[in-house]
Amino acid sequence: MQAIRSILVVMEPQHPEGLALKRAKLIAGVTQSHLHLLVCDKKGDHSAWLNDLSSGLAQEGFSVSTQQSWHDNLHQTIITVQQAEGCSLVVKQHLPDNPLKKALLTPEDWKLLRYCPGPVLMVKTDRPWTGGSILAAVDVGNADGEHRTLHAGIISHGYDIAGLAKGTLHVITAHPTPMLSAVDPTYQLKETIEARYREQCRSFQAEYDISDERLHVVEGPADVVIPQMAHRLGAAVTVIGTVARTGLSGALIGNTAEVVLDALESDVLVLKPDEVIAHLEELVAQR
């Protein structure tokens, strides 16, 4: 996170408590990043409000700029500005959609997570980060190059947030439930599955300095066990990664991140591998 030079903060005049700005200020205070405040609205004029915010932030010593913009819809507006301003982090407050609307339409925040070519921090709570637990979710069972690179990014960001929040980093990896039909007998017993995963975790733990107490190897679907563990730890932030699904137009994130977004009680930082970011940047450039 030390490499972040500019943060795009999505401002919502109808929610003036500004949870996204609160988090962005915390990060910018450590990384000395520039804050670019964006209101996504094609109708009302919010320049006076933005000017007041900007003046206040400048007096606090922050480097700040503001903008009101609209491109077709919310997520495209954010992504267009993120690319134009060269922001390396997007911070947005997440407000859950009602279940009926979500069943009929893909929520804008899900689309932002899918298509934004860069890390997105979804702020869900006003709980302070200071001294809290930070939970990083990885899939140790996947050791291909793309996942290894993504894991490195997840753990690195997890440590960075734990550092700036003076908190403790925990790591969770989910393993599959035993299947009697599995060809490999290792996957027929819970004990042997967990043993194999813990063995795979040894080199991972050594590489990233994760103690046994801070590593949680849990049986079950990732989208279920990640929110459960975050709740148990009282996590302030959960860091998750997404890898593109192949065979679909564009790059789609694994739906774990989308399902987890509403289930988690913590803030959520979503990361993507470099190849996915490059592909999404191409898609934005073609529009």
Side-chain angles (χ1 to χ4, degrees), residues 16-233:
E17 70 274 18
L19 295 186
L21 182 57
K22 192 174 167 183
R23 294 296 188 241
K25 285 171 65 178
L26 175 67
I27 296 166
V30 175
T31 60
Q32 305 303 301
S33 309
H34 175 78
L35 297 173
H36 187 69
L37 312 187
L38 170 68
V39 170
C40 302
D41 188 356
K42 60 180 173 183
K43 293 175 185 163
D45 178 9
H46 303 285
S47 53
W49 181 61
L50 285 170
N51 287 339
D52 286 347
L53 282 170
S54 179
S55 300
L57 288 164
Q59 285 174 3
E60 291 179 56
F62 290 99
S63 165
V64 61
S65 53
T66 64
Q67 180 180 356
Q68 179 173 339
S69 186
W70 186 258
H71 300 271
D72 297 333
N73 52 49
L74 180 66
H75 75 275
Q76 283 187 10
T77 304
I78 296 168
I79 291 167
T80 301
V81 174
Q82 181 257 342
Q83 288 290 285
E85 296 294 323
C87 299
S88 43
L89 175 67
V90 173
V91 183
K92 182 183 182 300
Q93 184 173 347
H94 173 65
L95 300 159
D97 288 270
N98 76 60
L100 179 61
K101 183 181 171 190
K102 196 156 61 178
L104 299 171
L105 301 166
T106 305
E108 282 292 318
D109 282 359
W110 284 16
K111 291 177 185 171
L112 180 62
L113 293 185
R114 285 183 191 181
Y115 300 118
C116 183
V120 179
L121 174 65
M122 288 289 183
V123 183
K124 297 195 62 177
T125 165
D126 61 357
R127 196 166 69 234
W129 282 8
T130 313
S133 295
I134 311 303
L135 181 62
V138 296
D139 182 4
V140 176
N142 264 318
D144 59 64
E146 194 176 33
H147 276 90
R148 284 178 67 86
T149 307
L150 186 57
H151 292 162
I154 291 170
I155 301 298
S156 167
H157 278 79
Y159 269 127
D160 285 349
I161 294 172
L164 72 87
K166 297 180 174 59
T168 307
L169 178 66
H170 288 257
V171 177
I172 182 172
T173 183
H175 68 74
T177 301
M179 291 186 299
L180 292 174
S181 58
V183 178
D184 184 340
T186 306
Y187 290 102
Q188 293 178 5
L189 289 172
K190 177 182 175 179
E191 292 73 18
T192 50
I193 295 176
E194 187 170 332
R196 174 175 280 198
Y197 261 70
R198 287 213 172 267
E199 195 52 47
Q200 288 174 322
C201 287
R202 291 287 169 234
S203 59
F204 176 84
Q205 286 179 264
E207 188 176 353
Y208 297 111
D209 189 26
I210 309 290
S211 66
D212 286 348
E213 301 78 54
R214 293 187 292 113
L215 176 73
H216 308 278
V217 179
V218 187
E219 175 194 330
D223 56 354
V224 174
V225 300
I226 293 171
Q228 286 175 346
M229 183 56 66
H231 177 76
R232 205 173 98 197
L233 294 170

